[in-house]
Structure formats: structure tokens, C-alpha cells
Amino acid sequence: MDMIDTNNLIVNAILNTKYQEAKEKGILLITKFNDLSELLIKDQDITILLANMLNNAITACENLKKKTKVIKIKIMKEEEELVISVQNPYEGELKMQGEKFLTTKKEGGIHGIGIQNVIDTVNFYGGRYVIRTKNDIFKFVLTIPFNPSV
């Protein structure tokens, strides 16, 4: 049964899947959203944005030993922009190479490209983003035109 309904099938599918995944892992997912029925961003691009951001947040929460496992996600149409904000606690040191984040995942394989894919998608749509860390809280906020001309 779907818990989240934004009036956008793709956003609903991603959020409800990640809600269930988080719940099964003992992570509380707090959401704030409004009507996204008129969103014109390509399905694959909204998937890149939401799936990567939420996958990273869930992974960070899975690795917590002492902190409360809570992810806050906001997906809102504000004026003529889509605002997506994901905030989660983390433990340990964030690895960076220059201005790029590197994976902290322990298993092998190709990792560390999720954030870069999000950034590339934001740039494609002429949007903006900010990544902040403070008091072991990781916050990724992005804005892109709600109905882009690309």
C-alpha cells in the first residue's frame, strides 16, 4: 500500500519504494511534499536525482552505531522551482578528492558516482545545489526549474 502520493507516478514509485526500504532497515523517513502533477522533468532524470540522494542517505543511516536513524526529505514546488532537500546523519569522515565526494562504501565495484550524477543532472537543467555538513548531518539541497525548457 502506497504511503506517499505526490500526484506524480515516478516520484510516488521512488518515494514509496525507499520508504519501505528505510522502514525495513529501522530508518525513519520524514517527508514533506506538495502537488507534483505538473512536473515536466524527464522520468529518468527525476529517478537519478531521488534514487541517488535517497540511496546515499539510507546507506549512511545503515552505518550509524550511535545516532538516531532519521532521513528528512522535502520535494516541493516553490514558485516555479522544484526544491529537493535530503538530510541525514552520518558517522565517520567524508572522503573528498578536490571538490568531489568519494564513496565510503566498503564493498568493491564502481561507487562514488551517485552524487556526481545528481550534480550533472542539476547542471543539465540549469539548476543550483548546495551540500552542507554540520554536526554530523549531511544535507543536500537542489533547485531546478519546475518546467524546464530542455
Side-chain angles (χ1 to χ4, degrees), residues 37-49:
S37 61
E38 297 176 10
L39 184 64
L40 295 180
I41 296 167
K42 295 177 188 172
D43 291 349
Q44 70 258 24
D45 291 335
I46 197 69
T47 301
I48 287 169
L49 296 172

Side-chain angles (χ1 to χ4, degrees), residues 55-56 59 62-63 95 103-112:
N55 285 343
N56 288 344
T59 299
E62 282 181 293
N63 293 328
K95 298 178 185 177
T103 186
T104 57
K105 295 178 175 111
K106 294 177 179 114
E107 68 274 3
I110 300 173
H111 295 291

Side-chain angles (χ1 to χ4, degrees), residues 1-5 12-13 16-17 20:
M1 183 171 138
D2 289 347
M3 300 295 295
I4 300 167
D5 185 6
N12 290 351
N16 282 295
T17 299
Q20 287 301 321

